[in-house]
Amino acid sequence: MMPALPSTPTTQRNDPCPCGSGKKFKHCCISKQTLQPANNTDLITLFQLAVRSFERGQLDQAATEFRKILEVKKTHADAIHYLGLIDYQQGKTDSGIALLVRSLTLDPENASFLSNLGAAYNETGRFKEAIPVLRKAIHRNPEYANAHSNLGMALQHAGEFDSAISSYRRAIALTPNHANALYNLGVLLFSQDQFSEAIITLLKVVELVPQHADCIFHLGLLSDKMGDPSNAIDLISHAISLASNQPIYHLNLALIYDKKGMPERTIEHMKLAAALPIPHTATILGEIGLLYAKLGRFSEALSYAKEALTLNSELLSGHLALGLTNYATGHEEEAIAHYQIATKLAPNNATIQSDLLFFLLRSRKIDDQALFNAHLEFARTFEQPLKKLWKKQSNSTSSDRKLKIGYVSADFCDHSVAMFIRPILAHHDRHDFTVYCYYNHTRQDAVSQELKSYADHWRPCLQLSDDELFAQIQRDEIDILIDLSGHTALNRLLVFARKPAPIQITWLGYAGTTGLSSMDYRFTDQYLDPPGMTDQFHSEQLIRLSASYTFGLHFQPPEVTPLPALSGQAFTFSCLNAHSKISDENIALWAEILKRTPGSRIMFGNSEEEAVQHRLINTFASYGIDASRLILKPRVTTYDFLALHQSIDVALDPFPYNGGTTTVLATLMGVPVITLSGSRTVSRCGAGIMGAVGLSDWVATSPDQYVSIAIKYFHDLEALSRIRQSLRDRWHQSSVGNPAAYTQEIESTYRQLWSHWCSQQTQKAPEK
């Protein structure tokens, strides 16, 4: 936001009078200043000299000259007003505003005085005081463009956006080249998602002021929003070349590099933002901390976020940064506490609410009913107001026609979800189904290109608002729309809440309910959701398939090697899951296993971060396990991740938040996984995967049984070796490893659900 600076009162003899009368100055208010010269001083000449000094930026000299005028006439309103402007511009805002107010007591109808006072109120955040002052200025002179522009700013900050836009437009109508009004209007239109008009408006500013760094910066943000990150990078880089001391420029450039998957450039600009030799606001520190948290740089995230919160304990970004950091390092209760604060600070932010639900999903401190109620509260807050958009679907009710299927995800790239949806997209019957993919990300890689080749229609949609994506899906006439995210990152649940398709299904991305009444079904299986166990905690109807997923890599995996422990290697357990899933309770149980299996060790993945290493080493040490028994591996490529299993004998599943992709990959590599099942869907993922490959005896129902399974196979290497050598075949023989058959089952289910919907529409049709 660039505030309109206080303008200089016009005081030349032949200029319009600043009081707004429409008369020339010499025929109006000049008479108020014309006195008999004192000590042979021509008061008017001295006033004009003072104004020229002010306009040249010689503020101290101008102040001296204006004070000489007041020695002659203490009630000289213009001199007092100018002294107020000088104090204000020199940083003495309180005394400056006091003088501006005093000048108005002498000349209360002066439109210029009123507008300048309103602008000063704006700059000092006193927007409610500015509004009546500026409206009075406009009443005195309806064609005063600066007053309209200043009023626009006051209204904007007061949340009266439509009125603010009208004021800016009026200022521009009066003065088409009013750069401040154009800039502020462009930024406001941007904030209201009116992107096209915002771009046109801001481009006019650049025509007027080619070196306007803030304007170029916002054009960069708009380019990113419109799906052109490369142009955004060019524009923001240009803004930095014009004003390199703006940390917000570097920070936003870092965010764009992060979205493009360029961590080195991301960190470079974060460091540049932090290194600028200016006092950093809490906001900047908090945003840097939040971005470090998203990058997995948790030590830096903690440092910046804590410093930010010492400056402002109610800083949203600070609590989000600490929430994400604590979540990622396994401190779930601390993460939940920070996110609960964040939801109070931003109660209408659906993304933050979704993140909190995702954290609560894995917490043992909340029971199943309370968790379900939290999801229903999300629906009451965000879905209920959108139900007015629900309309009778106009899709053809022919039950045997070709169906349009839409998949919505931010993970159509090298992401675990892609491993599960890839074989479905590849095997869809194009004779019976037209496939649309709505991709809610900008990342492009080999996986996204492959998935794009399987889709009949590929729709990048990150830059689309919820209303725009809703309209696009309706134009596409989608029959069945599938959400692959649930309450995970970059979900589009608020689009589903608008009910753009007749049938809506959630699947794969989130092991639980969305809470939305607009979501008709959730795909699952008998292992994840045994009949009667979780149905009552879902807003959706559960559809139990033979398995909840199929799976397919986009490359040939490494070979399954002989059991490492039979080759003389120390018996190796592992947990290669994300550390956000590893609770202190898990570590306590795994420490017990290590104590009862002499010489064994345990491998962890994704452990390059110092905060993660310290937590593992210190927590295991508290249970008497030396760091020498821990193998800490860094984040690696998917292929190298699979190859790690050639050194692993048995994998240990975290609980209550079980692994999903990690467990599937372990079984593919011949490594069985000990899992502890619970009553919640998210704590039964391991049971589903191990059941699908015929190893239900590896599913424990108590911590003691979990330990017993580990000890049993530690002592029976021959049995463990037989399982290892058979697991990949078991995997391929199951529905998990037969994507063609599984896709046929999915398509048959789609057809059944569609036939049911069509019959319902026929029953609802009025009799003729």
Side-chain angles (χ1 to χ4, degrees), residues 250-251 254 266-275 288 291-292 295:
H250 288 287
L251 185 59
T266 301
I267 293 170
E268 172 192 344
H269 282 278
M270 287 174 64
K271 288 182 176 178
L272 286 170
I288 292 174
L291 189 48
Y292 267 127
L295 287 170

Side-chain angles (χ1 to χ4, degrees), residues 617-631:
I617 292 170
N618 293 336
T619 309
F620 270 102
S622 71
Y623 293 107
I625 301 299
D626 189 76
S628 62
R629 299 183 71 180
L630 309 182
I631 305 170

